[in-house]
Amino acid sequence: VGGSDAFIESLGESFKELSTNIPITATELANIATTAGQLGIKQEDVESFTTVMAQLATTTDLTADNAATMLAQFSNITGVTDYERLGSTVAQLGDATATTASKVVEMSQGMAASASIAGMSATDILAISAAVGSLGIQAQAGSTSMSTLISTLYKATETGEKLEEFASVAGMTGEQFKKKWGEDAVGAMNAFIQGLNDTERNGRSAVVILDELGIKNVRQTKAILGLAQAGDLLSDTVASANAAWKSNTALTEKAGIMYNTTEAKMTMMQNAANNVKVAIGDALNPALSSAYD
C-alpha cells in the first residue's frame, strides 16, 4: 500500500476495529488491502475499498480475493472510485437477476475496456453483464460477445460504415442512432437488439440480419438473440443498476442481515479476543526487543 509508518499503523487499527463489526479477521482484511495496493488503488481509498470487498465476500458468492482483483481492475479501466456504490450495484444485481454476483463482476471486467471506450457507464456495463448472465451464458463468452457487439456499433457511429443498416434495425435514421448513442449508448444498443424482433418491418429474420451485418459468431449471435427474445430484460436491468447506484443501500442492508447471524457474531467475538492478544503483544514489544538485544 505504501505510506508512512503512522498511516500503516492507523490502517491496522481500523482493520482491528472493523473485524469486530465484520466476520472477517484483521489479517484477512490486511490481505485485501495488500491486493488493493498491488493493483493500484490509491492510499486514501484503500480502507473503503477493503471494507466493500469484505462485505461482498460475506454477502455474495464472491471471494474477497476475486472481488478485490476484478473490481480493482474494473475501477482502473472505468475510472470509478466510489466503491460503496459499486459494491451496492453488484449486490443488487446478484439478487435481482437470475445470475450471481461473481458472474456479473467477471463479465463486467471482461467487457469494461471496449464498453468504456464506447461511452458506457459503469452501471451500464454491470447491467449488461447481469442481463446476459441471466440468459445462462458463461462470463467469458458473454463478455467477448457483448464487447464485439459494442465495438461494432460504436465503430459504425464513428465511421458511418453500415450505420444506416444498424439504425434501420433500431427503427431510426443513421443520424438519430448516432445521436442516441452519444446520449445513451446502452439504450441505442438495446433499441438495435429489440429491433431484431420486428421481422415484419425488417422483412427478414434476425439471424439473416445479423449475418448480413457481419455478425456471424455463434456465441455472439446467441447472446444477442437471447436478449432480443427476453424483451425488456436489458432495459429493466439497467434501471435496477441505476437505482442501486443512486440509493447505495443494497450492500449495507444485505450485510446487516448476514452480520446478525449467530455464526457471524461468534466470529466477531473471536476477532475481538484476538485483538486483545494483539494489544498485549504491542505492549510487550518494547521489553521483548530490549531482552532480545
Side-chain angles (χ1 to χ4, degrees):
V1 172
S4 65
D5 288 347
F7 171 74
I8 297 298
E9 185 177 352
S10 173
L11 204 57
E13 291 299 321
S14 297
F15 291 157
K16 283 187 284 186
E17 182 178 353
L18 185 60
S19 71
T20 63
N21 297 308
I22 290 180
I24 291 184
T25 67
T27 301
E28 290 172 313
L29 292 170
N31 288 336
I32 298 173
T34 300
T35 301
Q38 292 169 338
L39 293 168
I41 300 300
K42 294 180 180 178
Q43 285 181 8
E44 60 267 28
D45 294 331
V46 167
E47 186 175 343
S48 63
F49 178 86
T50 300
T51 302
V52 171
M53 297 309 114
Q55 289 177 324
L56 285 171
T58 53
T59 59
T60 70
D61 68 323
L62 281 160
T63 65
D65 186 57
N66 283 341
T69 300
M70 289 189 287
L71 285 177
Q73 292 170 346
F74 181 82
S75 173
N76 288 336
I77 295 170
T78 61
V80 172
T81 57
D82 194 332
Y83 303 111
E84 290 184 8
R85 293 185 187 277
L86 190 60
S88 286
T89 306
V90 169
Q92 172 64 22
L93 292 174
D95 276 352
T97 60
T99 188
T100 61
S102 61
K103 287 185 179 179
V104 171
V105 171
E106 185 180 354
M107 199 181 300
S108 296
Q109 190 262 355
M111 74 171 74
S114 58
S116 294
I117 291 172
M120 292 186 178
S121 68
T123 52
D124 290 338
I125 300 169
L126 291 168
I128 294 170
S129 300
V132 173
S134 297
L135 301 173
I137 296 172
Q138 294 301 310
Q140 186 176 1
S143 62
T144 301
S145 300
M146 299 315 296
S147 291
T148 305
L149 176 61
I150 291 167
S151 297
T152 300
L153 294 175
Y154 176 59
K155 180 182 177 182
T157 62
E158 289 293 298
T159 64
E161 183 181 348
K162 294 186 177 180
L163 177 58
E164 292 296 336
E165 289 91 332
F166 285 115
S168 175
V169 175
M172 306 179 196
T173 64
E175 192 60 34
Q176 288 173 332
F177 188 83
K178 183 175 181 178
K179 184 174 184 293
K180 176 70 172 176
W181 188 275
E183 297 170 348
D184 177 19
V186 72
M189 184 182 76
N190 193 41
F192 168 77
I193 292 172
Q194 297 307 312
L196 293 170
N197 286 322
D198 196 346
T199 53
E200 186 175 340
R201 175 169 60 82
N202 295 325
R204 54 208 190 282
S205 71
V207 176
V208 172
I209 293 173
L210 292 175
D211 185 71
E212 291 175 353
L213 292 172
I215 302 175
K216 303 179 181 182
N217 182 277
V218 175
R219 292 196 299 182
Q220 186 182 1
T221 302
K222 180 181 177 181
I224 297 171
L225 296 181
L227 285 176
Q229 293 165 4
D232 295 330
L233 174 63
L234 180 55
S235 57
D236 288 346
T237 307
V238 170
S240 179
N242 288 329
W245 181 275
K246 184 177 180 180
S247 65
N248 192 25
T249 59
L251 184 57
T252 303
E253 290 173 355
K254 191 171 182 181
I257 295 170
M258 297 297 290
Y259 297 167
N260 201 38
T261 63
T262 301
E263 181 182 14
K265 288 180 178 179
M266 288 181 67
T267 300
M268 289 184 278
M269 181 186 69
Q270 291 167 352
N271 291 344
N274 190 60
N275 289 344
V276 174
K277 297 178 184 179
V278 173
I280 294 171
D282 287 343
L284 291 175
N285 261 338
L288 288 172
S289 294
S290 177
Y292 291 145
D293 289 339

